[in-house]
Amino acid sequence: MRGLRTQEGEKFERFFALVQKEASKKGEVFFLDAGEGHDFDNGFMEGENLSGWLIPLGLVDEFEKEYLKCNDDLEEWEKYFCWIEWENENSPIITICGVD
């Protein structure tokens, strides 16, 4: 799944699809860096607050090449770093924070 460097379970991928849906409303793609706690599992999906990069569609291919190398040399992309927060575990509502 685009935006992930690792293989994730089906329940997390359902949650991540909601994150990507919210990012696409802004014309962007979210690339996961790390989980930030505040976990939930409602039986159908599981997730937590996330950190990563919210990349405009026009830059996605360029960023993805660097992202998939799994290195820490992403300083030039720092301005796209953001946090994803959720609320309401029965029907998660996704909020993107930290990016103008």
Side-chain angles (χ1 to χ4, degrees):
M1 176 176 265
R2 184 169 242 175
L4 297 174
R5 290 188 253 213
T6 57
Q7 200 65 18
E8 300 294 337
E10 194 173 308
K11 291 194 310 184
F12 179 79
E13 286 188 3
R14 286 187 190 114
F15 172 72
F16 199 71
L18 293 178
V19 171
Q20 293 297 25
K21 183 177 179 182
E22 196 61 34
S24 73
K25 290 178 185 177
K26 299 171 157 285
E28 299 169 316
V29 174
F30 179 74
F31 289 84
L32 177 63
D33 183 42
E36 300 291 341
H38 188 57
D39 301 12
F40 79 93
D41 183 340
N42 67 15
F44 178 71
M45 75 175 66
E46 65 186 17
E48 64 181 299
N49 290 348
L50 306 171
S51 60
W53 298 267
L54 192 64
I55 304 297
L57 288 176
L59 299 173
V60 165
D61 291 338
E62 180 183 348
F63 176 80
E64 189 170 42
K65 289 176 190 172
E66 295 301 314
Y67 173 78
L68 292 175
K69 290 179 184 176
C70 296
N71 63 31
D72 292 329
D73 191 23
L74 294 170
E75 285 184 26
E76 70 182 271
W77 301 94
E78 186 176 305
K79 70 180 181 178
Y80 300 106
F81 203 79
C82 70
W83 291 264
I84 304 295
E85 296 179 351
W86 69 270
E87 61 181 274
N88 187 2
E89 73 181 54
N90 293 320
S91 182
I93 299 167
I94 308 301
T95 303
I96 299 171
C97 310
V99 175
D100 297 330

